[in-house]
Amino acid sequence: MNPGLLAGIDPRAKLAAFLTVQALLFLPSLQPARARLSAVALVLLALLPFSRGACRRWLRLLALTAPLLAVLAFSSILDQADAAAAAHLGLWIAAKAALVLLSLSLFILGETPGRMLQSLRQLGVPPPAIAVMAIGMRFTGQWRLELEALRR
């Protein structure tokens, strides 16, 4: 079974790629926002075939966050007096959120928890933060076991 080409990349490089995408999406720049958003989307969508299961994870994340995205987009429309500008703002919110979720599913969610925690240690993340993440990962494994027991 082929795990995909992105599975062999060092988790530190994946973290760097994820943070780079976030910086490109949210830090202000002199470039037109539409061109920058399109370039990020093109690169991320081009990487999608090289990560096994990333498309499925991305669609699940979109389905889970769709109600929140809808509330954010519609609240931006309700707050604006100009309907065209409000629709434009709602579209930008939804597009950026979709790209954040795509980068999350490509670079972070496909990695094993142990490798990701080790890469965070190597990058110098404070030990208490890593301990909190490790506890959370331990509980998700326990919840998975309990869910399997309930299904039997």
PDB file of all heavy atoms in Angstrom, residues 8 10 43 47 75 94 106:
ATOM      1  N   GLY A   8       6.830  10.539   3.429  1.00  0.00           N
ATOM      2  CA  GLY A   8       8.248  10.390   3.683  1.00  0.00           C
ATOM      3  C   GLY A   8       8.960  11.675   4.064  1.00  0.00           C
ATOM      4  O   GLY A   8      10.144  11.651   4.412  1.00  0.00           O
ATOM      5  N   ASP A  10      10.126  14.826   6.268  1.00  0.00           N
ATOM      6  CA  ASP A  10      10.374  15.065   7.688  1.00  0.00           C
ATOM      7  C   ASP A  10       9.237  15.906   8.279  1.00  0.00           C
ATOM      8  O   ASP A  10       8.805  16.890   7.673  1.00  0.00           O
ATOM      9  CB  ASP A  10      11.709  15.799   7.829  1.00  0.00           C
ATOM     10  CG  ASP A  10      12.143  15.980   9.266  1.00  0.00           C
ATOM     11  OD1 ASP A  10      11.570  15.313  10.153  1.00  0.00           O
ATOM     12  OD2 ASP A  10      13.055  16.781   9.499  1.00  0.00           O
ATOM     13  N   VAL A  43      -0.915  25.614  -5.447  1.00  0.00           N
ATOM     14  CA  VAL A  43       0.145  24.768  -4.896  1.00  0.00           C
ATOM     15  C   VAL A  43      -0.439  23.668  -4.011  1.00  0.00           C
ATOM     16  O   VAL A  43      -0.065  22.493  -4.119  1.00  0.00           O
ATOM     17  CB  VAL A  43       1.167  25.618  -4.108  1.00  0.00           C
ATOM     18  CG1 VAL A  43       2.117  24.747  -3.320  1.00  0.00           C
ATOM     19  CG2 VAL A  43       1.937  26.517  -5.059  1.00  0.00           C
ATOM     20  N   LEU A  47      -0.523  19.461  -4.604  1.00  0.00           N
ATOM     21  CA  LEU A  47       0.046  18.481  -3.677  1.00  0.00           C
ATOM     22  C   LEU A  47      -0.959  17.414  -3.251  1.00  0.00           C
ATOM     23  O   LEU A  47      -0.566  16.372  -2.731  1.00  0.00           O
ATOM     24  CB  LEU A  47       0.576  19.187  -2.425  1.00  0.00           C
ATOM     25  CG  LEU A  47       1.852  19.976  -2.573  1.00  0.00           C
ATOM     26  CD1 LEU A  47       2.159  20.720  -1.278  1.00  0.00           C
ATOM     27  CD2 LEU A  47       3.008  19.074  -2.946  1.00  0.00           C
ATOM     28  N   SER A  75     -22.538  36.350   9.010  1.00  0.00           N
ATOM     29  CA  SER A  75     -22.433  37.469   9.942  1.00  0.00           C
ATOM     30  C   SER A  75     -21.667  38.626   9.313  1.00  0.00           C
ATOM     31  O   SER A  75     -21.967  39.785   9.588  1.00  0.00           O
ATOM     32  CB  SER A  75     -21.770  37.028  11.241  1.00  0.00           C
ATOM     33  OG  SER A  75     -20.421  36.696  11.022  1.00  0.00           O
ATOM     34  N   ALA A  94     -14.540  32.209   3.623  1.00  0.00           N
ATOM     35  CA  ALA A  94     -14.717  30.792   3.288  1.00  0.00           C
ATOM     36  C   ALA A  94     -13.517  30.242   2.530  1.00  0.00           C
ATOM     37  O   ALA A  94     -13.070  29.110   2.787  1.00  0.00           O
ATOM     38  CB  ALA A  94     -15.996  30.613   2.482  1.00  0.00           C
ATOM     39  N   LEU A 106      -3.086  18.198   4.601  1.00  0.00           N
ATOM     40  CA  LEU A 106      -1.912  17.773   3.841  1.00  0.00           C
ATOM     41  C   LEU A 106      -0.689  17.575   4.727  1.00  0.00           C
ATOM     42  O   LEU A 106       0.028  16.582   4.605  1.00  0.00           O
ATOM     43  CB  LEU A 106      -1.567  18.812   2.767  1.00  0.00           C
ATOM     44  CG  LEU A 106      -2.325  18.746   1.463  1.00  0.00           C
ATOM     45  CD1 LEU A 106      -2.000  19.957   0.610  1.00  0.00           C
ATOM     46  CD2 LEU A 106      -2.017  17.474   0.709  1.00  0.00           C
TER      47      LEU A 106
END
